[in-house]
Amino acid sequence: VDELRVADVRRDIGTAGRLSIGGNLADLFTYNLSIVSKDAYFRGLSAATRGGGGDNLGSGSTNTTLSSNVTFQTQKFLPPGWGAALPISLSYSKSVSTPILRTSSDIVLPDSVRKAEQSVSENRTISISESFSNKGKNLLFNLFLNRYKSNFSYRRSSSRSVNVPYQFGESYVYRGDIDLNWSMPPNLPITGWLKKIPILKRTSKTKLYFYPTTWTMSGEYNRNLTISHDADSNRLWSVQKTLTGRMDIAYKLFDNVSANGNFNTT
């Protein structure tokens, strides 16, 4: 029987902490704030040990993450009868990772140079959406505002690390949806004169419809910009712009004759 025993086990203590705060004020806005910190020795229950440098490391880095979000319900300043939804959301997050070991090595870094090998990333986002559901007879709402929904979001990010000293990203997305449905489209009884003919009187109630029963359209415009510098100061950048559109339509020509179609473009 072979037996293996471990003596003089290192008992490095890992620590982690989390603080989370959230709330709302009179349904006008909600807020959330979260801070999470883990030192280099902290490990989860299922995480493996990272060797190197004579330290019984966990992740090998001290990681701190801050995230916050605030959402304003600006429709509270509009008349309730409009049935408006106009939330504006602001988000911010920052993550800092300070290694104990030099990147791609098992050399323990002195405290004085660890900051030079930090990895830092920041993200900022703003999003706005709108929709209305007015139940009155106002033509502006019934013909347009109640039928149209839109959303806009803007995101900016920046980061730096040893291998990528500078990286910047920016994107914005705009999406719009419009519903042109008409539950009771206009029609014309084109065969009413046949009711006087015995053989054809059953077809005298045939109606010709002039408007689709279902007609929806949506579109999205997306722009992404990325700029980065590698460790040799080479600059890389890319811009991508995408426009997508979709239309779905269902048309009832007669009560017993209908057609469906859709259109997609990118």
Side-chain angles (χ1 to χ4, degrees), residues 132-195:
F132 292 88
S133 59
N134 183 279
K135 304 299 182 181
K137 297 182 179 181
N138 190 306
L139 292 179
L140 177 62
F141 285 93
N142 293 334
L143 295 180
F144 181 72
L145 293 180
N146 287 351
R147 297 175 176 268
Y148 185 73
K149 298 178 181 179
S150 63
N151 177 272
F152 174 80
S153 63
Y154 174 82
R155 182 175 183 269
R156 173 177 287 192
S157 63
S158 61
S159 64
R160 61 179 174 86
S161 63
V162 174
N163 296 325
V164 185
Y166 173 79
Q167 184 165 356
F168 172 83
E170 183 183 59
S171 67
Y172 56 80
V173 180
Y174 176 79
R175 178 179 175 84
D177 298 86
I178 189 166
D179 184 351
L180 300 175
N181 295 344
W182 197 337
S183 58
M184 299 181 64
N187 61 80
L188 179 65
I190 60 175
T191 58
W193 57 276
L194 295 176
K195 61 183 179 182

Side-chain angles (χ1 to χ4, degrees), residues 48-228:
T49 297
R50 174 175 176 173
D55 290 295
N56 187 24
L57 297 176
S59 66
S61 301
T62 298
N63 298 290
T64 303
T65 301
L66 167 69
S67 59
S68 60
N69 175 268
V70 179
T71 300
F72 296 92
Q73 304 295 339
T74 57
Q75 70 272 10
K76 298 296 183 179
F77 298 100
L78 299 177
W82 287 12
L86 295 170
I88 299 177
S89 180
L90 305 173
S91 300
Y92 173 80
S93 65
K94 182 177 182 179
S95 178
V96 180
S97 177
T98 306
I100 285 184
L101 304 180
R102 185 177 297 278
T103 303
S104 303
S105 76
D106 60 357
I107 301 174
V108 177
L109 293 170
D111 293 340
S112 58
V113 298
R114 288 178 184 175
K115 188 174 182 179
E117 297 212 8
Q118 276 185 340
S119 296
V120 181
S121 64
E122 289 185 274
N123 293 282
R124 298 173 176 84
T125 305
I126 179 173
S127 64
I128 305 171
S129 61
E130 65 83 18
S131 64
F132 292 88
S133 59
N134 183 279
K135 304 299 182 181
K137 297 182 179 181
N138 190 306
L139 292 179
L140 177 62
F141 285 93
N142 293 334
L143 295 180
F144 181 72
L145 293 180
N146 287 351
R147 297 175 176 268
Y148 185 73
K149 298 178 181 179
S150 63
N151 177 272
F152 174 80
S153 63
Y154 174 82
R155 182 175 183 269
R156 173 177 287 192
S157 63
S158 61
S159 64
R160 61 179 174 86
S161 63
V162 174
N163 296 325
V164 185
Y166 173 79
Q167 184 165 356
F168 172 83
E170 183 183 59
S171 67
Y172 56 80
V173 180
Y174 176 79
R175 178 179 175 84
D177 298 86
I178 189 166
D179 184 351
L180 300 175
N181 295 344
W182 197 337
S183 58
M184 299 181 64
N187 61 80
L188 179 65
I190 60 175
T191 58
W193 57 276
L194 295 176
K195 61 183 179 182
K196 297 181 180 180
I197 304 176
I199 300 177
L200 301 177
K201 66 180 181 179
R202 289 187 177 182
T203 64
S204 62
K205 296 182 180 181
T206 302
K207 299 177 182 179
L208 174 65
Y209 292 87
F210 297 101
Y211 194 87
T213 54
T214 300
W215 189 4
T216 60
M217 292 184 289
S218 63
E220 181 176 294
Y221 177 74
N222 193 327
R223 177 186 179 274
N224 289 282
L225 168 67
T226 302
I227 303 173
S228 64

